[in-house]
Amino acid sequence: MAGSDLPLGKPTGYIDTYTPSLLHSIPRSEARQRIGLPEPVMFTGEDVWWCYELTWLDDGGKPYVAALQLNVPCTSASIVESKSLKLYLNSFAQTRFNSNLDVLNTLNSDLSVAFQAPVIVQLLELNQLPTPVEQLPGFCLDSLDVQIDDYEVNPTLLELEEGEDRRAKETLHTTLFRSLCPVTGQPDFASVFISYLGRPIERSGLLSYLVSYRCHQAFHEATMEQVYYDLMQRCRPEQLSVSGHFLRRGGIDINPFRSNVESGA
């Protein structure tokens, strides 16, 4: 979908009565073709959405406040533009529902249509929410002493350790990741987690590669798919899992996970 058709980056009036037409779908194939990903894709995985701003009225007119966890398979035909999801969820605010199950069924129906795939929708009480910044396992790349001057995606920075024929099983992460929204140019900050089995990946080059996304414009899902694809093309691990934990913007965060080992984060 052309950027001019999206609500992102435009002044928007907030509709507070249920309006499913606010959801805007974007075909996954558009970004995958730009990366050069073959079809069918080489990985499994999902996008885990956390939506922190959801409220509606019960049948007596009393407000109910909850959060939403949404699990979308990476095989869905479309993603949904995040601001359109925020506007859609806001349209529940002054709408009466007979029960929480009624809300859940409505969300499940509308979002499955928008993503063009079955999705898993969970309503959560506020005390069930995760911590704002998750502590990721494994070795943190952030302390490496590296010189970096490349801030556009550069897969050639990915290299295997010289003279190492052994197989390594490693879990690595960084909190230094940043990319840009392809519509507004706003920064998207994330922690990135990588787990692999194969010949050892040179860590300084890996960190430099991840930092090279700093001025790159792409949606979260496509960004993590490119990280996965580049690692596979350059380093050929036997097993690989990649996930991006993006900080919330507009009350929503998106956490894409891609793997040839596991189907979910």
Side-chain angles (χ1 to χ4, degrees):
M1 175 176 291
S4 60
D5 298 324
L6 300 174
L8 192 62
K10 299 176 183 177
T12 308
Y14 282 83
I15 299 170
D16 59 9
T17 52
Y18 172 62
T19 310
S21 62
L22 290 167
L23 290 167
H24 284 260
S25 302
I26 304 171
R28 286 192 190 270
S29 58
E30 294 180 359
R32 288 174 174 171
Q33 287 170 2
R34 286 194 293 270
I35 296 170
L37 273 176
E39 292 285 356
V41 290
M42 60 182 67
F43 44 70
T44 60
E46 62 182 358
D47 304 322
V48 182
W49 297 61
W50 291 92
C51 307
Y52 300 92
E53 299 175 3
L54 177 59
T55 183
W56 63 89
L57 303 178
D58 66 18
D59 57 0
K62 180 182 176 181
Y64 195 99
V65 176
L68 174 69
Q69 181 182 348
L70 177 62
N71 293 67
V72 182
C74 70
T75 52
S76 70
S78 296
I79 63 173
V80 168
E81 193 279 308
S82 60
K83 184 176 180 180
S84 79
L85 180 61
K86 176 182 173 65
L87 295 173
Y88 162 75
L89 295 178
N90 190 75
S91 78
F92 284 57
Q94 290 300 109
T95 304
R96 296 192 183 207
F97 291 89
N98 294 326
S99 66
N100 289 6
L101 182 59
D102 192 16
V103 174
L104 191 60
N105 288 338
T106 300
L107 289 165
N108 200 9
S109 176
D110 292 343
L111 294 173
S112 293
V113 170
F115 284 99
Q116 296 183 266
V119 298
I120 298 174
V121 182
Q122 298 180 66
L123 290 177
L124 302 173
E125 302 292 339
L126 298 185
N127 60 7
Q128 296 177 289
L129 293 177
T131 56
V133 179
E134 185 177 355
Q135 299 301 309
L136 295 174
F139 178 80
C140 181
L141 300 168
D142 300 356
S143 61
L144 296 177
D145 185 14
V146 295
Q147 298 292 318
I148 300 175
D149 57 11
D150 202 334
Y151 303 108
E152 282 291 349
V153 180
N154 185 359
T156 65
L157 295 168
L158 293 170
E159 296 180 344
L160 296 172
E161 291 187 4
E162 290 186 10
E164 289 285 353
D165 292 328
R166 64 183 176 90
R167 293 161 75 241
K169 187 177 178 67
E170 289 193 303
T171 299
L172 310 167
H173 69 268
T174 180
T175 64
L176 304 183
F177 192 88
R178 190 191 86 148
S179 57
L180 303 178
C181 171
V183 179
T184 66
Q186 292 184 34
D188 292 319
F189 292 88
S191 296
V192 173
F193 164 87
I194 295 168
S195 177
Y196 75 92
L197 171 65
R199 289 183 58 193
I201 297 173
E202 202 280 311
R203 291 179 175 181
S204 295
L206 175 59
L207 179 60
S208 297
Y209 164 74
L210 293 171
V211 171
S212 77
Y213 280 80
R214 195 166 179 82
C215 297
H216 178 67
Q217 297 191 357
F219 289 116
H220 302 341
E221 299 92 337
T223 298
M224 287 301 102
E225 290 186 354
Q226 182 163 3
V227 171
Y228 183 98
Y229 181 63
D230 288 345
L231 281 166
M232 270 295 182
Q233 293 296 106
R234 296 283 302 177
C235 302
R236 305 288 181 181
E238 300 166 40
Q239 298 178 1
L240 177 63
S241 297
V242 171
S243 61
H245 301 252
F246 286 82
L247 298 177
R248 73 182 70 168
R249 175 144 57 89
I252 295 174
D253 64 47
I254 309 172
N255 303 274
F257 173 83
R258 303 292 184 265
S259 176
N260 64 357
V261 185
E262 306 167 87
S263 60

